[in-house]
Amino acid sequence: MEFAKVAIRQRINQLFNDYERGERPALRRADALFPTDSVAWRVNGDIVTMMIGGVSGLLLQMLHPAVLAGVWDHSDFRADMHGRLRRTAKFIAVTTYDHASAGQTVIDKVRRIHDKLSGTTADGAPYRVSDPALLAWVHVTETISFLDAWVRYAEPGMPLADQDAYFAEMARVGRALGADPVPTDRAAAEALIQSMRPQLKADARTTEVAALVMRQKVGGFSEDIAADLIMKAGADLLPDWARQMHRLPKASPMVRNGARTMRRTLDWVYTGSPNRQVWPDNITTWPDR
């Protein structure tokens, strides 16, 4: 069984890291931006719920015309949606678990990129990717989606105090990226999302990008079955009003049960693995096992 667990981990590590460019999973460090007993460490380390939340967050984000225009104008999503999702996962892993200095380095890199990007929406309204309010929308939708996926599929009884702590912890990254306002509890996050609803819309561009997300293929037969399950669970995680704007169906009980089973299986696969160890500074090379 250990051989099977190692083989599965190696395949997943390859899907989330560009091995041809020398990328490897982030090593967990005791001096990360968040302490090892933080809620962020608990939530952000679960592959299945983070992927479900990532899909849901992306679908929610793109309902804002300026966010959609930024993706449309400055992203290679048509040719490399998998790469976009993988880069988001890498950013979360490094800012949560790697050395605090490494986390700050990738935050600074993203800010430099954002500062250079601007354009106009499909309706002709100007936008800047570095707009604090726009970054706040991206941050809050991403954060609440990660958390909601964790609550639904991993910890249904998660106390509200822990949920509030997650928003307070993740606010550190949001502020560092230039977002404003940044909610520090669940009530504030939900209020911010509700306040933005009058600005949201779905059009032909939204449909095209969402379709690319939902049709995402990542590799072999088994991987694509898992990806399809994650995409459907991600769409199902959306608030009803957002899912209806996308014209996406609710997931069947089979999809939800499948997502829970996949999460439990991968939790077993990763228990006791190098991915979940906290490594000393003298370990700098990923132990590929």
Side-chain angles (χ1 to χ4, degrees), residues 120-173:
T120 57
T121 67
D123 295 332
Y127 71 86
R128 293 179 296 109
V129 173
S130 59
D131 180 351
L134 200 60
L135 293 172
W137 170 251
V138 171
H139 171 77
V140 71
T141 51
E142 181 178 80
T143 304
I144 201 168
S145 298
F146 289 149
L147 180 61
D148 284 351
W150 171 261
V151 171
R152 175 172 292 182
Y153 291 106
E155 193 180 354
M158 187 180 196
L160 180 59
D162 284 2
Q163 296 184 44
D164 287 344
Y166 183 70
F167 284 105
E169 291 166 4
M170 294 297 286
R172 179 174 182 177
V173 176

Side-chain angles (χ1 to χ4, degrees), residues 42-44 46 49 72 86 134 136 144 163-164 194 200 222 235 251 255 276 282 284:
R42 187 161 100 225
V43 172
N44 291 356
D46 187 272
T49 60
W72 191 272
R86 183 167 61 187
L134 200 60
I144 201 168
Q163 296 184 44
D164 287 344
Q194 288 300 315
L200 308 182
S222 298
V255 168
R276 293 187 177 176
N282 65 308
T284 59

Side-chain angles (χ1 to χ4, degrees), residues 67-89:
V67 173
L68 180 64
V71 172
W72 191 272
D73 294 340
H74 305 291
S75 171
D76 59 350
F77 68 93
R78 293 179 185 84
D80 191 23
M81 181 60 77
H82 177 219
R84 177 181 172 83
L85 296 172
R86 183 167 61 187
R87 287 188 293 274
T88 299

Side-chain angles (χ1 to χ4, degrees), residues 51 55 58-59 62 72 77-82 85 204-221 223-235 246 248-249:
M51 288 302 296
V55 169
L58 183 57
L59 291 170
M62 71 174 67
W72 191 272
F77 68 93
R78 293 179 185 84
D80 191 23
M81 181 60 77
H82 177 219
L85 296 172
R205 283 186 173 186
T206 317
T207 300
E208 180 177 339
V209 179
L212 283 170
V213 173
M214 297 303 294
R215 294 197 304 263
Q216 180 62 38
K217 304 296 183 183
V218 296
F221 179 74
E223 292 92 334
D224 285 344
I225 290 177
D228 182 65
L229 190 65
I230 285 171
M231 301 305 163
K232 289 177 179 176
H246 276 294
L248 291 169

Side-chain angles (χ1 to χ4, degrees), residues 180-261:
D180 184 46
V182 178
T184 56
D185 58 39
R186 183 170 192 106
E190 292 176 345
L192 179 56
I193 290 173
Q194 288 300 315
S195 73
M196 297 291 285
R197 283 186 62 182
Q199 301 180 40
L200 308 182
K201 65 180 294 185
D203 57 18
R205 283 186 173 186
T206 317
T207 300
E208 180 177 339
V209 179
L212 283 170
V213 173
M214 297 303 294
R215 294 197 304 263
Q216 180 62 38
K217 304 296 183 183
V218 296
F221 179 74
S222 298
E223 292 92 334
D224 285 344
I225 290 177
D228 182 65
L229 190 65
I230 285 171
M231 301 305 163
K232 289 177 179 176
D236 181 59
L237 190 68
L238 287 166
D240 285 343
W241 56 265
R243 184 176 46 76
Q244 290 163 7
M245 289 179 72
H246 276 294
R247 299 181 182 178
L248 291 169
K250 289 187 70 67
S252 66
M254 183 179 297
V255 168
R256 288 195 180 189
N257 291 335
R260 290 190 183 93
T261 299

